[in-house]
Amino acid sequence: MLSTLPVEDRRKALKSRHRQAIVAAAAALIDERQATDFSVDELARRADVSRRTVFNHFASIHDIVSEVCSDVLSSAVASLTAVPASDAAGMGMLDEIAEAFRKADLVAPMAYLNRVLGDGGPAVAAHPMALRAFTELSERLSAVMLRRHPEADKLSVDLLVGALTSGLGVLYHHWHCATGAVDTPASRVSWERMLNQLLETVRAGHAAGPAGDARPSSPNP
């Protein structure tokens, strides 16, 4: 109960509760409309807070939408950083990350981003929320691997993780072009095929040349 807490703690708890209510209300409005075209007044009514309270926490609707998207992406980031342990060294580290990439459901959050932020064509792949997710993933995954492999060279780990996570951004672009970034059985097959090409390219190196049939097709030049 808030009333049993010291005054300062009560203020912090109330502030946290208001922020959570605002973000939850925004997520509900987005799910209902499949768009972000709601007003601050609509959001305040849904969250049962004042307009002023909304602006005490966020500078704009865009900032609120960014937090909603970040929450959606955080589950995908968490699943990717929960990589299975491996006793193998060197290539074993790549195998650990590859297994995590294959198990994680990235299609659902990417399709969500596309619905919420609008179908802006290939430019959607470069949306700040997508870039933010890939940057966060790279940092967290590097930290996980360095904790698991304390003997590993930090630069080598960062280069490996950076190559994979940057590759995800490239895949997002091609996958969006090829599928419209929708979550369907066909789009999931396409994502899996492209992901396998990324993992094999990082494993074998670019000197091996293009993967031929594995190269994603795109309706755009």
Side-chain angles (χ1 to χ4, degrees), residues 27 31 66-77 108-110 112-113:
D31 285 342
S66 292
E67 182 140 339
V68 172
C69 293
S70 181
D71 286 348
V72 170
L73 291 166
S74 65
S75 60
V77 172
M110 290 190 299
Y112 177 88
L113 276 183

Side-chain angles (χ1 to χ4, degrees), residues 81-86 93 96 143-151:
T81 53
V83 290
S86 170
M93 187 182 297
E96 290 176 16
V144 168
M145 300 314 298
L146 284 168
R147 285 197 302 271
R148 184 167 292 168
H149 300 273
E151 77 289 350

Side-chain angles (χ1 to χ4, degrees), residues 22 39-45 49-58:
I22 293 166
S39 68
V40 173
D41 289 332
E42 289 175 304
L43 178 60
R45 284 195 298 272
V49 299
S50 68
R51 178 185 176 91
R52 179 178 178 180
T53 298
V54 173
F55 283 115
N56 282 342
H57 290 274
F58 298 96

Side-chain angles (χ1 to χ4, degrees), residues 74-159:
S74 65
S75 60
V77 172
S79 65
L80 279 170
T81 53
V83 290
S86 170
D87 294 330
M91 188 62 72
M93 187 182 297
L94 173 57
D95 290 336
E96 290 176 16
I97 301 173
E99 182 67 12
F101 276 28
R102 289 191 174 102
K103 288 184 176 179
D105 181 7
L106 292 176
V107 170
M110 290 190 299
Y112 177 88
L113 276 183
N114 185 60
R115 292 196 308 272
V116 169
L117 302 174
D119 186 1
V124 172
H127 192 281
M129 283 309 307
L131 297 179
R132 173 178 168 178
F134 296 134
T135 299
E136 179 187 355
L137 170 60
S138 183
E139 293 171 352
R140 289 177 59 178
L141 193 52
S142 286
V144 168
M145 300 314 298
L146 284 168
R147 285 197 302 271
R148 184 167 292 168
H149 300 273
E151 77 289 350
D153 174 64
K154 185 178 187 303
L155 176 59
S156 297
V157 173
D158 286 345
L159 286 172

